[in-house]
């Protein structure tokens, strides 16, 4: 039997900026099962990042329900949300969001610090993870000494080092040329098929979306088609 | 909480901004150093006063003639010649009194062969040594018998001995004061400067009767010093003394005392109090600079939080709780102030040592001033670090991440 990692019902999000209301999400229903690889597409401004941030427990919806691994996230405190971000979720951003002037290894270690894991284990798990994404030779490089593709791979290592049940990626290849992008997508494919990692990924490119098992399209805050 | 890791993060963050951290710390260094140096000066003064009062003999009462009103005219203090040696004898019988020393004093020119020296001669009884807590270094003090027969003997203070005899021993030699030749029997030990700055060792001490009759030509005494059994007894003895002297001087109910009784212990307390106030005053002035140093820390930490908003957002996205962020920034502020505290202690101690070496200030470094200055610095770090740290920890993850 498959397990539901994400279950969302009637999610709404409205931004108010200088009195102007932007209804970014207008009732989203979505289910993501363990081991699935989902691509989210849609025009710019359709609410993809907004949805992703709520799924990632970085932001809170105005209305609707959201269960993550069967747990009702809307009921949780700030500390509990932090713990979920730490243990259950892994994030990959378009602009990498690595800690500046911090080595690749220390970047990957950071979530383990907040998980309360000791230095030795942090180190060995982070090294292992960096090797897995093909950066075993770049442990002590600073972000600005790495290429864009390498930086994103550090970000993926950092997202996965806590062994989360879900990887969230907001346009992870948005800042890359097609070759680097293909390399990265191959890595994600491998993680999905070999390790059974559940992935939700936002993209503008059809060929990126084609790699996923399933695709949904967001338009004006609503999920339109799925295949 | 993973303390070692959070500490490491704080240290790394400071390390990445070395020169900024150093400049921020400078404020605390100056603050702590000046607190320690200032308090050392105050404590030095306090210690000197305490030592001097101790050497003067605590637990002593001093009786002096007071003013008296005759025909509506109030004379000045000490202008009355109401105190007699017999008063001293009577006071000795009060319980709680250990020793009594009546005294007269006048300035004289002392001559020894070709040399001469202007000083003060005191006429006292043998109990003087006990009341003043003043042992001899050489020779002997004169006896009661010498006082009874007004013998021409004396004891020299260190200054007089040095001025007249240099390195030679004065024992057995004869000095002349106002035409009276006295044989030197002993030398008092060094007492140093008094709390009021005069040289205690600049004196000659002779039998009371000798000075009264042969040098001054008087029969009264200038003062009576009373040594009591202890601090507590002093107060009770004081009351008894007053009662007794009023009786002896035949004063009526409505007549004021014709004498004054001073309590040296009381005097000691007041002087010590004022020295303490002085210390606190110096310390608090210096603390202001420590406070300014703290504001410097707050300023830099606020800048740092704003600069690192994105970093805070990233950390929150990776699972940092509010308190992880709070502690990281608070620890940075604490490390800054603690480093400033430690370095400041060294500068403060160095300053105090230099001051004592190259100036007249008596400097005394007290451990509590170091502890106090350091804890105050740490407190300043917490106090001024808390606001920026809370500001950092209250950021919303998504807003911090989006911050440009
Ligand atoms: N913090 C905010 N304050 C106000 N409005 C916002 C905020 N964030 C997003 N919006 C608005 O919400 C809508 C959805 O934004 P969102 O970032 O989710 O779009 P998106 O689908 O990710 O677009 P893109 O493909 O360009 O990244 C947009 O109209 C945007 O202007
Ligand atoms: Mg977006």
């Amino acid at each position: 039997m498959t397990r539901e990692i994400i279950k969302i019902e009637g999610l709404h999000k409205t931004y108010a900026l200088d009195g102007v209301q932007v209804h970014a999400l207008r009732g989203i229903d979505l289910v993501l099962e363990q081991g699935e690889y989902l691509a989210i597409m849609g025009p710019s401004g359709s609410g993809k990042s907004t949805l992703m941030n709520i799924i990632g427990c970085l932001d809170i919806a105005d209305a609707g329900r959201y269960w993550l691994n069967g747990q009702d996230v809307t009921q949780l405190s700030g500390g509990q949300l932090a713990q979920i971000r730490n243990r259950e979720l892994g994030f990959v951003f378009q602009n990498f969001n690595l800690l500046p002037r911090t080595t690749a290894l220390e970047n990957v270690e950071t979530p383990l610090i907040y998980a309360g894991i000791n230095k030795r284990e942090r180190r060995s798990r982070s090294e292992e993870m960096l090797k897995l994404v093909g950066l075993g030779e770049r442990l002590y490089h600073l972000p600005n000494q790495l290429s864009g593709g390498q930086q994103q791979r550090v970000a993926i290592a950092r997202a996965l080092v806590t062994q989360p049940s879900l990887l969230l990626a907001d346009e992870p290849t948005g800042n890359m040329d097609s070759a680097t992008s293909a390399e990265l997508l191959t890595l994600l494919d491998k993680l999905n098929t070999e390790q059974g990692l559940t992935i939700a990924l936002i993209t503008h490119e059809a060929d990126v979306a084609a790699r996923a098992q399933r695709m949904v399209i967001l338009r004006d805050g609503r999920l339109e088609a799925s295949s | 909480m993973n303390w070692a890791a959070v500490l490491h993060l704080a240290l790394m963050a400071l390390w990445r901004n070395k020169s900024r951290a150093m400049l921020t710390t400078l404020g605390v260094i100056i603050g702590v150093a000046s607190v320690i140096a200032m308090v050392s000066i105050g404590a030095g003064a306090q210690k000197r006063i305490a030592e001097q009062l101790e050497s003067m003999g605590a637990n002593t009462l001093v009786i002096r003639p007071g003013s008296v009103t005759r025909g509506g005219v109030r004379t000045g203090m000490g202008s009355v010649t109401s105190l007699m040696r017999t008063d001293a004898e009577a006071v000795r019988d009060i319980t709680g009194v250990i020793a009594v020393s009546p005294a007269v004093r006048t300035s004289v020119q002392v001559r020894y062969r070709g040399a001469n020296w202007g000083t003060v001669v005191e006429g006292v009884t043998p109990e003087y040594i006990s009341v003043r807590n003043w042992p001899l270094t050489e020779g002997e003090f004169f006896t009661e018998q010498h006082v009874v027969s007004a013998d021409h003997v004396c004891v020299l203070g260190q200054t007089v001995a040095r001025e007249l005899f240099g390195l030679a021993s004065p024992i057995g030699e004869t000095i002349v004061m106002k035409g009276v030749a006295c044989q030197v029997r002993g030398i008092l030990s060094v007492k140093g400067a008094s709390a009021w700055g005069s040289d205690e060792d600049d004196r000659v001490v002779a039998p009371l009767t000798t000075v009264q009759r042969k040098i001054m030509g008087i029969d009264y005494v200038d003062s009576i010093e009373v040594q009591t059994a202890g601090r507590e007894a002093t107060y009770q003895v004081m009351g008894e003394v007053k009662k007794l002297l009023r009786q002896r001087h035949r004063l009526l109910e409505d007549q004021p005392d014709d004498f004054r009784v001073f309590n040296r212990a009381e005097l000691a307390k007041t002087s010590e109090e004022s020295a303490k106030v002085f210390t606190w005053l110096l310390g608090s002035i210096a603390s202001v600079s420590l406070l300014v140093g703290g504001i410097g820390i707050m300023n830099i930490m606020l800048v740092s939080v704003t600069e690192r908003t994105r970093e805070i957002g990233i950390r929150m996205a990776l699972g940092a709780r509010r308190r992880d962020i709070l502690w990281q920034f608070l620890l940075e502020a604490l490390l800054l102030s603690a480093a400033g505290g430690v370095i400041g202690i060294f500068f403060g101690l160095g300053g105090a040592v230099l001051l004592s070496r190259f100036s007249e200030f008596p400097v005394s470094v007290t451990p509590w001033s170091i502890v106090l200055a350091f804890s105050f610095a740490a407190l300043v770090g917490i106090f001024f670090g808390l606001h920026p740290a809370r500001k950092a920890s209250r950021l919303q993850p998504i807003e911090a991440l989006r911050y440009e």
Side-chain angles (χ1 to χ4, degrees):
Chain A
M1 196 191 111
T2 52
R3 200 161 66 87
E4 286 172 352
I5 299 276
I6 294 176
K7 189 173 172 205
I8 285 172
E9 284 176 3
L11 212 63
H12 281 262
K13 179 75 182 178
T14 310
Y15 291 110
L17 200 72
D18 301 328
V20 182
Q21 300 253 323
V22 180
H23 212 149
L25 297 179
R26 307 161 184 256
I28 305 280
D29 299 312
L30 181 69
V31 171
L32 189 63
E33 280 170 359
Q34 183 159 36
E36 263 194 301
Y37 186 171
L38 174 76
I40 302 171
M41 290 193 73
S44 187
S46 57
K48 301 183 298 294
S49 294
T50 304
L51 177 61
M52 191 63 107
N53 289 334
I54 292 171
I55 292 175
C57 296
L58 289 169
D59 208 351
I60 293 165
D62 300 327
R65 309 292 297 277
Y66 168 25
W67 291 268
L68 183 69
N69 286 321
Q71 196 171 20
D72 189 349
V73 171
T74 47
Q75 304 298 317
L76 297 180
S77 69
Q80 288 168 315
L81 289 176
Q83 195 163 350
I84 284 187
R85 288 197 292 271
N86 187 238
R87 311 263 160 93
E88 318 267 348
L89 300 170
F91 267 104
V92 178
F93 303 91
Q94 181 175 358
N95 56 0
F96 320 135
N97 271 338
L98 295 180
L99 294 169
R101 293 197 271 174
T102 305
T103 62
L105 190 60
E106 282 178 320
N107 258 291
V108 177
E109 275 187 50
T110 304
L112 295 177
I113 290 176
Y114 299 120
I117 286 168
N118 70 48
K119 176 112 195 149
R120 258 248 227 85
E121 196 183 335
R122 285 208 303 268
R123 182 92 346 161
S124 67
R125 273 169 71 173
S126 304
E127 281 178 9
E128 211 173 295
M129 211 59 227
L130 279 166
K131 273 181 205 139
L132 185 75
V133 298
L135 289 175
E137 311 293 303
R138 301 278 192 281
L139 300 182
Y140 301 102
H141 280 57
L142 298 175
N144 60 7
Q145 296 165 338
L146 293 169
S147 74
Q150 287 169 335
Q151 286 186 56
Q152 197 60 299
R153 278 190 276 164
V154 173
I156 289 174
R158 187 177 68 179
L160 297 181
V161 75
T162 52
Q163 297 170 328
S165 48
L166 176 62
L167 180 73
L168 300 171
D170 191 347
E171 300 188 47
T173 58
N175 283 350
M176 289 173 200
D177 61 39
S178 54
T180 327
S181 162
E183 228 176 274
L184 198 87
L185 291 168
T186 308
L187 175 64
L188 289 183
D189 279 347
K190 201 175 98 182
L191 289 166
N192 175 244
T193 50
E194 286 176 18
Q195 322 240 338
L197 182 70
T198 315
I199 301 174
L201 168 145
I202 295 176
T203 184
H204 278 289
E205 293 151 85
D207 57 330
V208 174
R211 296 210 177 213
Q213 294 163 358
R214 185 155 78 100
M215 183 184 76
V216 293
I217 296 172
L218 247 178
R219 217 181 289 278
D220 279 337
R222 286 194 187 89
L223 279 180
E224 205 172 62
S226 48
S227 61
Chain B
M1 183 106 30
N2 204 330
W3 291 107
V6 177
L7 184 70
H8 178 75
L9 290 181
L11 279 170
M12 286 307 288
L14 291 176
W15 183 248
R16 283 187 201 114
N17 274 305
K18 283 184 284 292
S19 59
R20 182 197 276 186
M22 250 140 44
L23 286 171
T24 312
T25 311
L26 200 59
V28 180
I29 293 175
I30 292 171
V32 169
S34 49
V35 166
I36 289 175
M38 290 295 122
V39 170
S40 300
I41 291 174
Q46 218 170 312
K47 202 170 147 208
R48 176 177 279 185
I49 287 172
E51 278 167 6
Q52 282 163 349
L53 291 166
E54 186 60 36
S55 75
M56 261 164 44
N59 305 330
T60 48
L61 294 174
V62 182
I63 309 167
R64 287 187 201 284
S67 71
V68 73
T69 310
R70 273 201 198 101
V73 179
R74 280 191 85 205
T75 60
M77 191 178 90
S79 59
V80 191
T81 55
S82 56
L83 285 179
M84 293 296 170
R85 196 184 169 192
T86 45
D87 288 327
E89 300 306 328
V91 165
R92 180 177 287 114
D93 294 335
I94 296 172
T95 45
V97 171
I98 287 175
V100 177
S101 169
V104 293
R105 62 186 62 77
T106 185
S107 43
V108 288
Q109 203 69 19
V110 189
R111 283 201 305 280
Y112 171 72
R113 296 204 178 138
N116 75 92
W117 179 249
T119 184
V120 172
V121 62
E122 262 190 307
V124 300
T125 61
E127 282 172 50
Y128 179 80
I129 304 179
S130 164
V131 173
R132 283 294 178 93
N133 182 24
W134 203 348
L136 275 72
T137 48
E138 223 181 298
E140 285 169 345
F141 209 73
F142 45 81
T143 62
E144 188 57 37
Q145 187 52 46
H146 287 120
V147 178
V148 169
S149 45
D151 285 337
H152 291 197
V153 291
C154 66
V155 168
L156 302 185
Q158 291 277 346
T159 303
V160 177
R162 191 181 60 241
E163 292 298 332
L164 292 179
F165 295 91
L167 294 173
S169 170
I171 307 286
E173 300 294 329
T174 302
I175 59 164
V176 180
M177 298 176 285
K178 291 222 169 128
V180 180
C182 293
Q183 195 186 33
V184 179
R185 286 181 59 82
I187 299 176
L188 291 163
S189 56
V190 178
K191 196 142 240 196
S194 75
W196 298 277
S198 62
D199 180 7
E200 293 270 31
D201 299 319
D202 190 4
R203 72 177 69 212
V204 176
V205 182
L208 177 68
T209 43
T210 314
V211 178
Q212 272 183 322
R213 293 174 206 161
K214 310 210 164 140
I215 294 177
M216 297 175 74
I218 56 171
D219 61 351
Y220 55 84
V221 298
D222 290 331
S223 67
I224 300 171
E225 292 188 27
V226 184
Q227 188 187 7
T228 62
R231 223 168 173 138
E232 288 314 303
T234 310
Y235 294 93
Q236 176 225 327
V237 169
M238 193 162 171
E240 296 285 324
V241 165
K242 282 183 179 168
K243 222 181 340 175
L244 180 75
L245 289 183
R246 284 188 68 87
Q247 218 171 36
R248 291 181 56 84
H249 295 182
R250 302 208 166 75
L251 296 175
L252 300 173
E253 276 294 301
D254 58 341
Q255 276 180 308
D257 294 346
D258 61 352
F259 58 87
R260 301 276 290 270
V261 185
F262 303 92
N263 186 343
R264 272 230 175 103
E266 204 67 21
L267 199 72
K269 247 186 0 209
T270 349
S271 306
E272 277 175 323
E273 286 302 319
S274 58
K276 225 176 259 172
V277 169
F278 177 64
T279 308
W280 277 106
L281 201 71
L282 284 177
S284 359
I285 291 169
S287 304
V288 172
S289 60
L290 193 46
L291 221 60
V292 173
I295 293 169
I297 289 185
M298 175 150 80
N299 191 15
I300 285 302
M301 290 309 297
L302 281 173
V303 170
S304 179
V305 167
T306 309
E307 276 179 359
R308 285 153 67 190
T309 301
R310 247 186 116 75
E311 176 197 324
I312 295 165
I314 295 170
R315 289 187 182 283
M316 286 177 158
L318 297 178
R321 289 155 300 180
R322 289 191 189 295
R323 67 186 138 132
D324 292 316
I325 302 295
L326 181 93
W327 275 111
Q328 185 187 339
F329 283 88
L330 196 55
L331 224 56
E332 276 181 38
L334 254 172
L335 283 171
L336 283 177
S337 62
V342 170
I343 301 170
I345 285 172
F346 283 103
F347 278 99
L349 291 179
V353 168
L354 283 181
L355 212 66
S356 69
R357 191 151 300 169
F358 297 113
S359 78
E360 287 298 299
F361 287 111
V363 175
S364 159
V365 177
T366 50
W368 68 263
S369 73
I370 295 173
V371 172
L372 192 83
F374 185 79
S375 342
F376 189 38
L379 239 114
V380 159
I382 294 174
F383 184 78
F384 289 106
L386 202 57
H387 172 60
R390 281 167 71 102
K391 199 177 151 195
S393 74
R394 296 240 164 125
L395 288 168
Q396 291 300 321
I398 190 64
E399 270 149 34
L401 266 177
R402 280 210 197 102
Y403 185 84
E404 292 297 323

